[in-house]
Coordinates of all heavy atoms in Angstrom, one line a residue:
M1 N -5.2 -48.9 47.1 CA -5.1 -49.4 45.7 C -4.3 -50.7 45.8 O -3.4 -50.9 46.6 CB -4.5 -48.4 44.8 CG -5.4 -47.2 44.6 SD -4.8 -46.0 43.3 CE -3.4 -45.3 44.2
Q2 N -4.6 -51.5 44.8 CA -3.9 -52.8 44.7 C -3.5 -53.1 43.3 O -3.9 -52.4 42.4 CB -4.9 -53.9 45.2 CG -5.2 -53.7 46.7 CD -6.3 -54.6 47.2 OE1 -7.2 -55.0 46.4 NE2 -6.3 -54.9 48.5
I3 N -2.7 -54.2 43.1 CA -2.1 -54.5 41.8 C -2.8 -55.8 41.3 O -3.1 -56.7 42.1 CB -0.6 -54.8 41.9 CG1 0.1 -53.5 42.4 CG2 0.0 -55.1 40.5 CD1 1.5 -53.8 42.8
A4 N -3.1 -55.8 40.0 CA -3.7 -57.0 39.4 C -3.2 -57.2 38.0 O -2.7 -56.3 37.4 CB -5.2 -56.9 39.4
K5 N -3.5 -58.4 37.4 CA -3.2 -58.7 36.0 C -4.6 -58.9 35.3 O -5.4 -59.6 35.9 CB -2.4 -59.9 35.9 CG -2.0 -60.4 34.5 CD -0.9 -59.6 34.0 CE 0.4 -60.3 34.2 NZ 1.6 -59.7 33.6
V6 N -4.8 -58.2 34.2 CA -6.0 -58.4 33.4 C -6.0 -59.8 32.8 O -5.0 -60.0 32.0 CB -6.2 -57.3 32.4 CG1 -7.5 -57.5 31.6 CG2 -6.2 -55.9 33.1
I7 N -7.0 -60.6 33.0 CA -7.0 -62.0 32.5 C -8.2 -62.2 31.6 O -8.2 -63.3 31.0 CB -6.9 -63.0 33.6 CG1 -8.0 -62.9 34.6 CG2 -5.5 -62.9 34.4 CD1 -8.1 -64.1 35.5
G8 N -9.1 -61.3 31.5 CA -10.2 -61.6 30.6 C -11.2 -60.4 30.5 O -11.0 -59.4 31.2
T9 N -12.2 -60.6 29.8 CA -13.3 -59.6 29.7 C -14.6 -60.2 30.0 O -14.8 -61.4 29.9 CB -13.3 -59.0 28.2 OG1 -13.6 -60.0 27.3 CG2 -12.0 -58.3 27.9
V10 N -15.6 -59.3 30.3 CA -17.0 -59.7 30.5 C -17.8 -59.0 29.5 O -17.7 -57.8 29.3 CB -17.4 -59.4 32.0 CG1 -18.9 -59.7 32.1 CG2 -16.6 -60.1 33.0
V11 N -18.7 -59.8 28.8 CA -19.7 -59.2 27.9 C -21.0 -59.2 28.6 O -21.5 -60.3 29.0 CB -19.7 -60.0 26.6 CG1 -20.7 -59.4 25.6 CG2 -18.3 -60.0 25.9
A12 N -21.6 -58.0 28.7 CA -23.0 -57.9 29.3 C -23.9 -57.3 28.2 O -23.7 -56.2 27.8 CB -22.9 -57.1 30.5
V13 N -24.9 -58.0 27.9 CA -25.9 -57.5 26.9 C -26.6 -56.3 27.5 O -26.9 -55.4 26.8 CB -26.9 -58.6 26.5 CG1 -28.0 -58.1 25.6 CG2 -26.2 -59.8 25.8
Q14 N -26.9 -56.4 28.8 CA -27.6 -55.3 29.4 C -26.8 -55.0 30.7 O -26.4 -55.9 31.4 CB -29.0 -55.6 29.8 CG -29.9 -55.7 28.6 CD -31.4 -56.0 29.0 OE1 -31.7 -56.2 30.2 NE2 -32.3 -55.9 28.0
K15 N -26.6 -53.7 31.0 CA -26.0 -53.3 32.3 C -26.6 -52.0 32.7 O -27.2 -51.3 31.9 CB -24.5 -53.3 32.2 CG -23.9 -52.4 31.2 CD -22.4 -52.5 31.1 CE -21.8 -51.7 30.0 NZ -20.4 -51.9 29.9
D16 N -26.3 -51.6 34.0 CA -26.8 -50.4 34.5 C -26.4 -49.2 33.6 O -25.2 -49.2 33.2 CB -26.3 -50.2 35.9 CG -26.9 -49.0 36.6 OD1 -26.4 -47.9 36.3 OD2 -27.7 -49.2 37.5
E17 N -27.3 -48.3 33.3 CA -26.9 -47.2 32.4 C -25.8 -46.3 32.9 O -25.1 -45.7 32.1 CB -28.2 -46.3 32.2 CG -28.7 -45.6 33.4 CD -30.0 -44.8 33.2 OE1 -30.8 -45.3 32.4 OE2 -30.1 -43.8 33.8
R18 N -25.5 -46.3 34.2 CA -24.4 -45.6 34.8 C -23.0 -46.2 34.4 O -22.0 -45.6 34.6 CB -24.5 -45.4 36.3 CG -25.6 -44.4 36.6 CD -25.8 -44.3 38.1 NE -26.4 -45.6 38.5 CZ -27.0 -45.8 39.7 NH1 -27.1 -44.8 40.6 NH2 -27.6 -47.0 40.0
L19 N -23.1 -47.5 33.9 CA -21.9 -48.1 33.4 C -21.7 -48.0 31.9 O -20.9 -48.7 31.3 CB -21.9 -49.6 33.8 CG -21.7 -49.9 35.3 CD1 -22.0 -51.3 35.6 CD2 -20.4 -49.4 35.8
S20 N -22.5 -47.1 31.3 CA -22.4 -46.9 29.9 C -21.0 -46.5 29.5 O -20.4 -45.5 30.1 CB -23.4 -45.9 29.4 OG -23.3 -45.6 28.0
G21 N -20.3 -47.1 28.5 CA -19.0 -46.7 28.1 C -17.9 -47.4 29.0 O -16.7 -47.1 28.7
V22 N -18.3 -48.1 29.9 CA -17.3 -48.8 30.8 C -17.2 -50.3 30.5 O -18.2 -51.0 30.5 CB -17.7 -48.7 32.3 CG1 -16.8 -49.4 33.2 CG2 -17.8 -47.2 32.7
R23 N -16.0 -50.7 30.1 CA -15.7 -52.1 29.9 C -15.6 -52.8 31.2 O -15.1 -52.3 32.2 CB -14.5 -52.3 29.0 CG -14.6 -51.7 27.7 CD -13.4 -51.8 26.8 NE -12.2 -52.2 27.6 CZ -11.1 -52.8 27.0 NH1 -11.1 -52.9 25.7 NH2 -10.1 -53.2 27.7
L24 N -16.0 -54.1 31.2 CA -15.8 -54.9 32.4 C -14.7 -55.9 32.1 O -14.8 -56.7 31.2 CB -17.2 -55.6 32.7 CG -18.4 -54.7 32.9 CD1 -19.6 -55.5 33.1 CD2 -18.1 -53.8 34.1
M25 N -13.7 -55.9 33.0 CA -12.5 -56.7 32.8 C -12.4 -57.7 34.0 O -12.7 -57.3 35.1 CB -11.3 -55.9 32.8 CG -11.3 -54.8 31.7 SD -11.6 -55.3 30.1 CE -10.0 -55.8 29.6
V26 N -11.9 -58.9 33.7 CA -11.6 -59.9 34.8 C -10.2 -59.7 35.2 O -9.3 -59.7 34.3 CB -11.9 -61.3 34.3 CG1 -11.6 -62.3 35.4 CG2 -13.3 -61.5 33.8
I27 N -9.9 -59.4 36.4 CA -8.6 -59.1 36.9 C -8.2 -60.1 38.0 O -9.1 -60.5 38.8 CB -8.4 -57.7 37.4 CG1 -9.3 -57.3 38.5 CG2 -8.6 -56.7 36.2 CD1 -9.0 -56.0 39.2
Q28 N -6.9 -60.5 38.0 CA -6.4 -61.4 39.0 C -5.5 -60.6 39.9 O -4.4 -60.1 39.5 CB -5.6 -62.6 38.4 CG -4.9 -63.4 39.4 CD -5.8 -64.1 40.4 OE1 -6.7 -64.9 39.9 NE2 -5.7 -63.9 41.6
P29 N -5.9 -60.4 41.2 CA -5.0 -59.7 42.1 C -3.7 -60.4 42.2 O -3.6 -61.7 42.2 CB -5.8 -59.7 43.5 CG -7.2 -59.8 43.0 CD -7.2 -60.7 41.8
V30 N -2.6 -59.7 42.3 CA -1.2 -60.2 42.4 C -0.5 -59.5 43.5 O -0.8 -58.4 43.9 CB -0.5 -60.1 41.1 CG1 -1.1 -60.9 40.0 CG2 -0.3 -58.7 40.6
D31 N 0.6 -60.2 44.0 CA 1.5 -59.6 45.0 C 2.6 -58.8 44.3 O 2.6 -58.7 43.0 CB 2.1 -60.6 45.9 CG 3.0 -61.7 45.2 OD1 3.4 -61.4 44.1 OD2 3.2 -62.7 45.9
S32 N 3.5 -58.3 45.0 CA 4.6 -57.4 44.4 C 5.5 -58.2 43.4 O 6.2 -57.5 42.7 CB 5.4 -56.7 45.5 OG 6.0 -57.7 46.3
K33 N 5.5 -59.5 43.5 CA 6.3 -60.3 42.6 C 5.5 -60.8 41.4 O 6.0 -61.5 40.6 CB 6.9 -61.5 43.4 CG 7.9 -61.1 44.4 CD 8.4 -62.3 45.1 CE 9.4 -61.8 46.2 NZ 9.9 -63.0 47.0
G34 N 4.2 -60.5 41.4 CA 3.4 -60.9 40.3 C 2.7 -62.2 40.5 O 2.1 -62.8 39.6
N35 N 2.8 -62.8 41.7 CA 2.1 -64.1 42.0 C 0.6 -63.9 42.3 O 0.3 -62.9 43.1 CB 2.8 -64.8 43.2 CG 4.3 -65.1 42.9 OD1 4.6 -65.5 41.8 ND2 5.1 -64.8 43.8
A36 N -0.2 -64.7 41.8 CA -1.7 -64.6 42.1 C -2.0 -64.6 43.5 O -1.4 -65.4 44.3 CB -2.4 -65.7 41.3
E37 N -2.9 -63.8 44.0 CA -3.4 -63.8 45.3 C -4.9 -63.7 45.3 O -5.5 -62.8 44.8 CB -2.9 -62.5 46.1 CG -1.5 -62.5 46.5 CD -1.2 -61.3 47.4 OE1 -1.8 -60.2 47.2 OE2 -0.4 -61.5 48.3
G38 N -5.5 -64.7 45.9 CA -7.0 -64.8 46.0 C -7.6 -65.1 44.6 O -7.0 -65.6 43.7
K39 N -8.9 -64.8 44.6 CA -9.7 -65.2 43.4 C -9.8 -64.0 42.4 O -9.8 -62.8 42.9 CB -11.1 -65.6 43.8 CG -11.2 -66.8 44.6 CD -12.6 -67.2 45.0 CE -12.6 -68.4 45.9 NZ -14.0 -68.8 46.2
P40 N -10.0 -64.2 41.1 CA -10.2 -63.2 40.2 C -11.5 -62.4 40.5 O -12.4 -62.9 41.1 CB -10.3 -63.9 38.8 CG -9.7 -65.2 39.0 CD -10.0 -65.6 40.5
I41 N -11.5 -61.1 40.1 CA -12.7 -60.3 40.3 C -13.0 -59.5 39.0 O -12.2 -59.5 38.1 CB -12.5 -59.3 41.5 CG1 -11.4 -58.3 41.2 CG2 -12.4 -60.0 42.8 CD1 -11.3 -57.2 42.2
V42 N -14.2 -59.0 38.9 CA -14.6 -58.1 37.8 C -14.4 -56.7 38.2 O -14.8 -56.3 39.3 CB -16.0 -58.4 37.3 CG1 -16.5 -57.5 36.2 CG2 -16.2 -59.8 36.9
A43 N -13.8 -55.9 37.3 CA -13.5 -54.5 37.6 C -14.0 -53.6 36.4 O -13.8 -54.0 35.2 CB -12.1 -54.2 37.9
G44 N -14.6 -52.5 36.7 CA -14.9 -51.5 35.6 C -13.6 -50.9 35.1 O -12.7 -50.6 35.9
D45 N -13.6 -50.6 33.8 CA -12.4 -50.1 33.2 C -12.8 -49.0 32.2 O -13.3 -49.3 31.1 CB -11.6 -51.2 32.5 CG -10.4 -50.6 31.7 OD1 -9.8 -49.6 32.1 OD2 -10.0 -51.3 30.7
A46 N -12.5 -47.8 32.5 CA -12.7 -46.6 31.6 C -11.4 -46.1 31.0 O -11.5 -45.1 30.4 CB -13.5 -45.5 32.4
I47 N -10.3 -46.8 31.3 CA -9.0 -46.2 30.8 C -8.4 -47.0 29.6 O -7.4 -46.6 29.1 CB -8.0 -46.1 31.9 CG1 -7.6 -47.4 32.5 CG2 -8.5 -45.1 33.0 CD1 -6.5 -47.4 33.5
G48 N -9.0 -48.2 29.3 CA -8.6 -48.9 28.1 C -7.5 -50.0 28.4 O -6.6 -50.2 27.5
S49 N -7.5 -50.7 29.5 CA -6.5 -51.7 29.7 C -6.9 -52.9 28.9 O -8.0 -53.1 28.4 CB -6.5 -52.1 31.2 OG -7.7 -52.7 31.6
G50 N -5.9 -53.8 28.7 CA -6.0 -55.0 27.9 C -5.6 -56.2 28.6 O -4.9 -56.2 29.6
I51 N -6.0 -57.3 28.0 CA -5.6 -58.6 28.6 C -4.1 -58.8 28.6 O -3.4 -58.4 27.6 CB -6.2 -59.8 27.8 CG1 -7.7 -59.7 27.9 CG2 -5.7 -61.1 28.2 CD1 -8.5 -60.7 27.1
G52 N -3.6 -59.2 29.7 CA -2.1 -59.4 29.9 C -1.4 -58.2 30.6 O -0.3 -58.3 31.0
E53 N -2.1 -57.1 30.7 CA -1.5 -55.9 31.3 C -1.6 -55.9 32.8 O -2.6 -56.5 33.4 CB -2.1 -54.6 30.8 CG -1.8 -54.3 29.3 CD -2.3 -53.0 28.9 OE1 -3.5 -52.7 28.9 OE2 -1.4 -52.2 28.5
T54 N -0.7 -55.3 33.5 CA -0.7 -55.2 34.9 C -1.4 -53.8 35.2 O -1.0 -52.8 34.5 CB 0.7 -55.2 35.5 OG1 1.3 -56.4 35.2 CG2 0.7 -55.0 37.0
V55 N -2.3 -53.8 36.1 CA -3.1 -52.6 36.4 C -3.1 -52.3 37.9 O -2.8 -53.2 38.7 CB -4.5 -52.7 35.9 CG1 -4.5 -52.8 34.4 CG2 -5.3 -53.9 36.5
I56 N -3.5 -51.1 38.3 CA -3.8 -50.7 39.6 C -5.3 -50.6 39.7 O -5.9 -50.0 38.8 CB -3.0 -49.5 40.0 CG1 -1.5 -49.7 40.0 CG2 -3.4 -49.0 41.4 CD1 -0.7 -48.4 40.2
Y57 N -5.9 -51.1 40.8 CA -7.3 -50.9 40.9 C -7.7 -50.6 42.4 O -6.9 -50.8 43.3 CB -8.0 -52.2 40.5 CG -7.8 -53.4 41.5 CD1 -8.8 -53.7 42.4 CD2 -6.7 -54.2 41.5 CE1 -8.7 -54.8 43.3 CE2 -6.5 -55.2 42.3 CZ -7.5 -55.5 43.2 OH -7.3 -56.6 44.1
A58 N -8.9 -50.0 42.5 CA -9.4 -49.7 43.8 C -10.6 -50.5 44.1 O -11.4 -50.8 43.1 CB -9.7 -48.2 43.9
K59 N -10.9 -50.9 45.3 CA -12.1 -51.7 45.6 C -13.1 -50.9 46.4 O -12.8 -49.8 46.8 CB -11.6 -52.9 46.4 CG -10.9 -53.9 45.6 CD -10.4 -55.1 46.5 CE -11.5 -55.9 47.1 NZ -11.0 -57.0 47.9
S60 N -14.2 -51.4 46.7 CA -15.3 -50.9 47.4 C -15.9 -49.7 46.6 O -15.7 -49.6 45.4 CB -14.8 -50.5 48.8 OG -15.9 -50.1 49.6
K61 N -16.5 -48.7 47.3 CA -17.1 -47.6 46.6 C -16.1 -46.8 45.9 O -16.3 -46.2 44.8 CB -17.9 -46.7 47.6 CG -18.7 -45.6 46.9 CD -19.6 -46.2 45.9 CE -20.3 -45.0 45.1 NZ -20.9 -45.5 43.9
E62 N -14.8 -46.7 46.4 CA -13.8 -46.0 45.7 C -13.5 -46.5 44.3 O -12.9 -45.8 43.5 CB -12.5 -46.0 46.6 CG -12.6 -45.2 47.8 CD -13.3 -45.9 49.0 OE1 -13.6 -47.1 48.9 OE2 -13.6 -45.2 50.0
G63 N -13.8 -47.8 44.1 CA -13.6 -48.4 42.8 C -14.4 -47.7 41.7 O -14.0 -47.6 40.5
A64 N -15.5 -47.0 42.0 CA -16.3 -46.3 41.0 C -15.8 -44.9 40.8 O -16.2 -44.3 39.8 CB -17.8 -46.3 41.4
F65 N -15.0 -44.4 41.7 CA -14.6 -43.0 41.5 C -13.8 -42.7 40.2 O -13.9 -41.5 39.8 CB -13.7 -42.5 42.7 CG -14.5 -42.4 44.0 CD1 -13.8 -42.2 45.2 CD2 -15.8 -42.5 44.1 CE1 -14.4 -42.1 46.4 CE2 -16.5 -42.4 45.3 CZ -15.8 -42.2 46.4
C66 N -13.2 -43.7 39.6 CA -12.4 -43.4 38.4 C -13.3 -43.6 37.2 O -12.8 -43.5 36.0 CB -11.2 -44.4 38.4 SG -11.7 -46.1 38.4
L67 N -14.6 -44.0 37.3 CA -15.4 -44.2 36.2 C -16.1 -42.9 35.8 O -16.2 -41.9 36.5 CB -16.5 -45.3 36.5 CG -15.9 -46.6 37.0 CD1 -17.0 -47.6 37.4 CD2 -15.0 -47.2 35.9
P68 N -16.7 -42.8 34.5 CA -17.3 -41.6 34.1 C -18.4 -41.1 35.0 O -18.6 -39.9 35.2 CB -17.9 -42.0 32.7 CG -17.0 -43.1 32.2 CD -16.6 -43.8 33.5
D69 N -19.2 -42.1 35.7 CA -20.2 -41.7 36.7 C -19.7 -42.3 38.0 O -19.9 -43.5 38.2 CB -21.5 -42.3 36.3 CG -22.6 -41.9 37.2 OD1 -22.3 -41.4 38.4 OD2 -23.8 -42.0 36.9
P70 N -19.2 -41.5 38.9 CA -18.7 -42.1 40.2 C -19.8 -42.7 41.1 O -19.5 -43.3 42.1 CB -18.0 -40.9 40.8 CG -18.3 -39.7 40.1 CD -18.9 -40.1 38.8
K71 N -21.0 -42.5 40.7 CA -22.1 -43.1 41.4 C -22.5 -44.5 40.9 O -23.5 -45.1 41.3 CB -23.3 -42.2 41.4 CG -23.1 -40.9 42.2 CD -24.3 -40.0 42.1 CE -23.9 -38.7 42.8 NZ -25.0 -37.7 42.7
A72 N -21.8 -45.0 39.9 CA -22.1 -46.3 39.3 C -21.9 -47.4 40.3 O -21.1 -47.3 41.2 CB -21.1 -46.6 38.1
C73 N -22.7 -48.4 40.2 CA -22.7 -49.6 41.1 C -21.5 -50.5 40.6 O -21.7 -51.4 39.8 CB -24.0 -50.3 41.1 SG -24.6 -50.8 39.5
C74 N -20.4 -50.3 41.2 CA -19.2 -51.0 40.8 C -18.3 -51.2 42.0 O -18.0 -50.2 42.7 CB -18.4 -50.2 39.7 SG -17.1 -51.1 39.0
D75 N -17.9 -52.5 42.3 CA -17.1 -52.8 43.5 C -15.6 -52.6 43.3 O -14.9 -52.6 44.2 CB -17.4 -54.2 44.0 CG -18.8 -54.3 44.7 OD1 -19.3 -53.3 45.1 OD2 -19.3 -55.5 44.7
A76 N -15.2 -52.6 42.0 CA -13.8 -52.4 41.7 C -13.6 -51.7 40.4 O -14.4 -51.8 39.5 CB -13.1 -53.8 41.6
G77 N -12.6 -50.8 40.4 CA -12.4 -50.0 39.2 C -10.9 -49.9 38.9 O -10.1 -49.7 39.8
I78 N -10.5 -50.1 37.7 CA -9.1 -50.0 37.2 C -8.8 -48.5 37.1 O -9.4 -47.7 36.5 CB -8.9 -50.7 35.9 CG1 -9.2 -52.2 36.1 CG2 -7.5 -50.4 35.4 CD1 -9.2 -53.0 34.8
T79 N -7.7 -48.1 37.9 CA -7.3 -46.7 37.9 C -6.1 -46.4 37.1 O -5.9 -45.2 36.8 CB -7.1 -46.3 39.4 OG1 -6.0 -47.0 39.9 CG2 -8.3 -46.4 40.2
A80 N -5.3 -47.3 36.8 CA -4.0 -47.1 36.1 C -3.5 -48.4 35.4 O -3.8 -49.5 35.9 CB -2.9 -46.5 37.0
I81 N -2.8 -48.2 34.3 CA -2.0 -49.3 33.7 C -0.6 -49.1 34.1 O 0.0 -48.0 34.0 CB -2.2 -49.2 32.2 CG1 -3.7 -49.4 31.8 CG2 -1.3 -50.3 31.5 CD1 -3.9 -49.1 30.3
V82 N 0.0 -50.2 34.6 CA 1.4 -50.1 35.1 C 2.4 -50.3 33.9 O 2.3 -51.3 33.2 CB 1.7 -51.2 36.2 CG1 3.1 -51.2 36.6 CG2 0.7 -51.0 37.4
D83 N 3.3 -49.3 33.8 CA 4.3 -49.4 32.7 C 5.5 -50.2 33.2 O 6.1 -51.0 32.5 CB 4.8 -48.0 32.3 CG 3.7 -47.2 31.6 OD1 3.0 -47.8 30.7 OD2 3.6 -46.0 31.9
S84 N 5.9 -50.0 34.5 CA 7.0 -50.7 35.1 C 6.8 -50.7 36.6 O 6.2 -49.8 37.1 CB 8.4 -50.2 34.7 OG 8.6 -48.9 35.1
M85 N 7.4 -51.6 37.3 CA 7.3 -51.7 38.7 C 8.6 -52.3 39.3 O 9.1 -53.2 38.8 CB 6.1 -52.6 39.1 CG 5.8 -52.7 40.5 SD 4.3 -53.5 40.9 CE 4.7 -55.2 40.4
H86 N 9.1 -51.6 40.3 CA 10.4 -52.0 40.9 C 10.1 -52.1 42.4 O 9.6 -51.2 43.0 CB 11.5 -51.0 40.7 CG 11.7 -50.8 39.2 ND1 12.4 -51.6 38.4 CD2 11.3 -49.7 38.4 CE1 12.4 -51.1 37.2 NE2 11.7 -50.0 37.2
T87 N 10.4 -53.3 43.0 CA 10.3 -53.5 44.4 C 11.6 -53.7 45.1 O 12.5 -54.3 44.5 CB 9.3 -54.6 44.7 OG1 9.8 -55.8 44.2 CG2 7.9 -54.4 44.1
I88 N 11.7 -53.3 46.3 CA 12.9 -53.6 47.1 C 12.6 -54.6 48.1 O 11.6 -54.5 48.9 CB 13.4 -52.3 47.8 CG1 13.7 -51.2 46.8 CG2 14.5 -52.6 48.7 CD1 14.0 -49.9 47.4
E89 N 13.3 -55.7 48.2 CA 13.0 -56.8 49.1 C 14.2 -57.2 49.8 O 15.3 -57.1 49.4 CB 12.5 -58.0 48.3 CG 11.3 -57.6 47.5 CD 10.1 -58.4 47.6 OE1 10.0 -59.2 48.5 OE2 9.2 -58.2 46.9

């Protein structure tokens, strides 16, 4: 699992029926200090995250495991909304 910041949403007029009820969010992967790492990606979200929130997400096929249909074609899925985070450096 990795950490990201939700930076936007995706509106799809049509999508695979296995993604029914799943919002598509644009997330920016971040490091432990909140600095952007790499390019933004689209992730399925069945837990209700919002723009500006820090989230935990999974990539690859594991990204779909947190969705209503774990067989959905989704490369990344939001698994948790972060309330607080403390790192030791």
Side-chain angles (χ1 to χ4, degrees):
M1 292 188 286
Q2 298 170 330
I3 302 167
K5 181 78 95 175
V6 179
I7 61 170
T9 61
V10 175
V11 177
V13 176
Q14 293 184 349
K15 59 184 175 181
D16 187 283
E17 64 186 36
R18 290 175 288 196
L19 290 173
S20 179
V22 176
R23 296 179 348 160
L24 301 175
M25 307 302 280
V26 181
I27 60 173
Q28 172 62 60
V30 297
D31 63 17
S32 63
K33 294 180 182 178
N35 300 317
E37 283 191 326
K39 296 181 180 182
I41 61 173
V42 176
D45 175 29
I47 63 170
S49 67
I51 294 175
E53 290 188 298
T54 300
V55 296
I56 297 174
Y57 71 100
K59 289 176 61 176
S60 192
K61 185 59 185 163
E62 289 79 11
F65 289 170
C66 60
L67 303 179
D69 183 346
K71 294 179 182 172
C73 52
C74 189
D75 286 339
I78 296 172
T79 61
I81 299 171
V82 176
D83 293 317
S84 64
M85 185 170 67
H86 306 280
T87 60
I88 298 171
E89 306 232 10

